[in-house]
Amino acid sequence: MNLALLTFALFTAFVGIYVFYRLRKEKFESASSYFLGGRTLSAPIVAISMLLTNISTEHLVGMNGSAYKNGFVVMAWEVTSAIALVIGAIYFIPRYLKMGLTTIPQYLELRFDKTTHTIVNLLLIFSFVVTVLPVVLYTGALNIETLFDISVKFNITRMESIRYLIFIIGILGSIYAIFGGLKAVAYSDAIYGIGLFIGGLMVPAFALMDIGHNNILNGLSQVYHSAPEKFNSIGKEDSILPFSTLFTGLMINQIYFWCMNQVIVQRALGAANLKEAQKGFLLMGVFKILMPIIIVLPGVIGFYYFKERFYGVQDTVYPELVKKVLPISLVGFFAAVVMGTVLSALNGILNSAATLFSMGVYKRQINPAAGDKRLVYIGRGASVVLAVFAMCVAPLVAKAPQGLYQLLQQLNGIFFIPIASILLGGFFIKSISAAGAKVAVFTGLIFYLLTSFVLKVHLHFIHVWGIEFVLNILVMLGVSAVYKNKNYYTPKYTGEVEITPWKYAKPVAVFLIIATILVFYLLS
């Protein structure tokens, strides 16, 4: 295991040195250079950075843990993302770049008013530090603890080890975001993204070769015949993810996450032009269709090895599988990649939260005259505060009965569906007013909290998302009928980004939609 630790340390240090070297002359004198990487990102960097911000240990650990228990039904979270990315590339990204946006909530000020902009900024920042970041930090710490048995080495309890690791990971991840801005995030993502694909594919490959006696296809056949029900992607109504949810709240959540979520879309906003942004989005769509090989299949393989042994602690299955099938030297490399996904998600979220606070709250409400250097300073300070808060909250997510990934999605619904409602309403329904948008945000929040955590309605939470979305639209229409819309905003081209579309965008989009349908058909 000392060899694994050495490999882990060397790879992690290599990435840090590489990022430092690439940014050694960067001064970050403008807000654009710090928050958007100077709008210079290429399509591969956009896609890989999006991937690494999205795929962290809550996926590697949480989704594989859920697949171990529930099978391929959970792949819908990944594969349907391709359709949302198509919608983003064809409809939303061209409009964002045309308006020259730095943050997505900026659109809400243009479409509604400054107060709506500020409310959504604050809700997003709050959601990052109480839902996403704590789960990322906890699962990262859990994975490192399981792989290296830190608690045994230092003679402390497992929970104490996880707490210490949360703070170590939090500090390391914060350094990238605070001192390097979006460019540091993107450069580190490029290295860790390659490592994720190599390391992520190694786990099922080594496992299937072990099971099939050096024949991967034979190994896959044995895993399938041992539990064929695990390979069915069409979830029944009593499953953890019913297939019917694809037609209620799931696609609304996917459209929000991939087309409106600041953490994700900020990479496209930093693209050199519309062509690079569209190519990055559509390349990400290809990645998402392939991702079940890395974050679903290993969980099902884990069931082949361990049967129901870890049903009570499903989120430990993936690191246990890694230890079982990978050579010791590769365990260290893979642990470094896992650490990289945690750092990437952490610093990506912190960078976006800092952008929202500096540009959306501080400059709009506190100090409108603030210059670029002041905004960068404020962004760094906000990152420190938010990181410390998230590190303190992270240990509280230790006990999640349905698994960490399911917990994260349930918590996300508190904030994402109300915000998605007013963004979609703003884009597609001209009559919706600022008053209607503000009322709908709080109506949606209260409705979801009551139905999911107080009254505990016996309906899948994704169906609740769908109902909440329809309720929010009706509320906006009702309020807007009384308090009329007076701001009929039409997006105007600011000239900040070149917006000639990629000529192959639509053909690739059609391919991704067909591929998504085909994957569900083959695994039905």
Side-chain angles (χ1 to χ4, degrees):
M1 190 55 73
N2 288 335
L3 178 59
L5 280 169
L6 178 62
T7 310
F8 168 79
L10 288 174
F11 188 77
T12 303
F14 164 72
V15 177
I17 293 167
Y18 171 78
V19 172
F20 172 77
Y21 176 78
R22 290 298 301 264
L23 295 177
R24 67 194 187 284
K25 296 180 181 178
E26 198 73 51
K27 299 299 182 184
F28 298 118
E29 293 182 350
S30 72
S32 175
S33 66
Y34 184 75
F35 296 119
L36 294 178
R39 295 193 192 271
T40 59
L41 304 184
S42 64
I45 295 295
V46 169
I48 293 173
S49 189
M50 286 170 65
L51 177 71
L52 264 289
T53 299
N54 171 234
I55 302 296
S56 186
T57 41
E58 81 275 11
H59 284 77
L60 288 170
V61 173
M63 187 171 276
N64 273 307
S66 187
Y68 160 74
K69 195 170 182 179
N70 305 289
F72 265 78
V73 294
V74 299
M75 83 168 196
W77 288 113
E78 290 300 297
V79 177
T80 59
S81 298
I83 295 177
L85 284 156
V86 164
I87 295 170
I90 302 300
Y91 182 83
F92 287 100
I93 295 304
R95 284 159 177 77
Y96 295 153
L97 295 183
K98 180 180 181 180
M99 291 182 276
L101 299 183
T102 302
T103 71
I104 303 306
Q106 270 183 274
Y107 168 74
L108 296 175
E109 181 169 342
L110 297 171
R111 173 63 177 83
F112 297 119
D113 59 18
K114 186 187 291 188
T115 305
T116 308
H117 179 191
T118 302
I119 290 170
V120 170
N121 268 311
L122 292 173
L123 284 175
L124 284 173
I125 294 167
F126 185 69
S127 74
F128 293 159
V129 295
V130 301
T131 61
V132 187
L133 283 178
V135 174
V136 169
L137 285 168
Y138 178 79
T139 51
L142 175 66
N143 202 67
I144 299 300
E145 158 61 25
T146 305
L147 286 173
F148 293 123
D149 295 320
I150 302 296
S151 56
V152 174
K153 286 182 172 58
F154 290 93
N155 194 28
I156 55 178
T157 67
R158 184 176 174 84
M159 198 60 221
E160 285 176 329
S161 170
I162 288 172
R163 286 197 189 99
Y164 291 136
L165 286 168
I166 283 169
F167 277 89
I168 292 169
I169 293 169
I171 291 167
L172 287 174
S174 301
I175 290 171
Y176 282 102
I178 293 166
F179 295 105
L182 186 62
K183 275 193 177 179
V185 176
Y187 287 144
S188 62
D189 286 352
I191 302 298
Y192 282 126
I194 296 167
L196 173 64
F197 266 97
I198 295 172
L201 290 171
M202 281 195 311
V203 176
F206 273 88
L208 293 175
M209 287 181 68
D210 174 55
I211 295 166
H213 303 290
N214 295 323
N215 186 315
I216 289 178
L217 293 178
N218 185 43
L220 183 61
S221 176
Q222 287 191 51
V223 173
Y224 173 78
H225 285 103
S226 71
E229 71 281 359
K230 297 282 187 184
F231 285 82
N232 187 358
S233 66
I234 310 299
K236 297 178 181 179
E237 285 305 308
D238 61 349
S239 70
I240 194 170
L241 189 61
F243 187 68
S244 59
T245 59
L246 273 67
F247 308 99
T248 57
L250 184 60
M251 278 312 301
I252 296 166
N253 177 73
Q254 298 289 52
I255 290 170
Y256 169 79
F257 188 84
W258 293 105
C259 305
M260 302 172 182
N261 181 0
Q262 179 68 26
V263 177
I264 295 298
V265 179
Q266 189 162 334
R267 277 89 188 119
L269 299 182
N273 51 52
L274 176 57
K275 288 180 183 178
E276 294 301 306
Q278 287 184 316
K279 285 189 283 186
F281 252 58
L282 295 171
L283 177 58
M284 182 65 188
V286 175
F287 290 159
K288 296 305 281 185
I289 290 174
L290 297 175
M291 282 312 292
I293 299 172
I294 293 175
I295 59 177
V296 177
L297 179 59
V300 177
I301 294 172
F303 182 80
Y304 175 88
Y305 277 118
F306 307 121
K307 300 306 178 190
E308 298 179 1
R309 175 180 161 192
F310 294 110
Y311 263 24
V313 284
Q314 65 192 51
D315 293 311
T316 63
V317 165
Y318 189 66
E320 290 290 348
L321 180 66
V322 170
K323 284 200 297 185
K324 182 175 181 64
V325 303
L326 290 188
I328 290 295
S329 59
L330 291 179
V331 169
F333 163 73
F334 190 69
V337 170
V338 170
M339 174 70 88
T341 67
V342 178
L343 298 180
S344 176
L346 176 64
N347 58 37
I349 294 167
L350 283 176
N351 181 259
S352 293
T355 307
L356 290 170
F357 183 79
S358 298
M359 306 296 289
V361 178
Y362 183 78
K363 186 171 178 63
R364 300 305 297 153
Q365 297 286 359
I366 300 172
N367 185 5
D372 283 353
K373 288 186 177 181
R374 180 67 179 172
L375 291 173
V376 171
Y377 174 77
I378 292 297
R380 284 174 167 159
S383 294
V384 172
V385 173
L386 296 174
V388 171
F389 187 85
M391 285 184 264
C392 293
V393 173
L396 303 179
V397 302
K399 295 181 180 179
Q402 292 291 336
L404 291 168
Y405 190 79
Q406 195 77 353
L407 170 67
L408 177 61
Q409 298 303 335
Q410 285 180 285
L411 293 174
N412 281 343
I414 300 172
F415 306 99
F416 288 3
I417 300 303
I419 296 170
S421 302
I422 65 170
L423 280 164
L424 288 169
F427 269 108
F428 295 107
I429 306 175
K430 299 291 186 183
S431 62
I432 290 178
S433 66
K438 285 192 278 283
V439 172
V441 168
F442 293 105
T443 301
L445 283 171
I446 294 167
F447 173 82
Y448 187 76
L449 289 170
L450 283 175
T451 54
S452 298
F453 300 102
V454 180
L455 302 177
K456 295 184 178 178
V457 174
H458 296 293
L459 188 66
H460 197 283
F461 71 88
I462 297 180
H463 287 314
V464 175
W465 288 354
I467 295 169
E468 179 187 353
F469 178 78
V470 173
L471 173 65
N472 287 349
I473 295 295
L474 293 174
V475 167
M476 284 191 285
L477 290 172
V479 174
S480 299
V482 179
Y483 299 94
K484 304 288 185 181
N485 181 31
K486 297 178 182 178
N487 180 20
Y488 288 92
Y489 170 72
T490 301
K492 296 179 178 62
Y493 181 39
T494 63
E496 290 189 41
V497 184
E498 206 281 315
I499 58 169
T500 302
W502 184 39
K503 63 180 179 179
Y504 298 115
K506 290 183 180 179
V508 173
V510 172
F511 165 77
L512 286 174
I513 293 170
I514 293 171
T516 300
I517 296 169
L518 188 62
V519 169
F520 276 103
Y521 174 75
L522 293 174
L523 289 168
S524 62

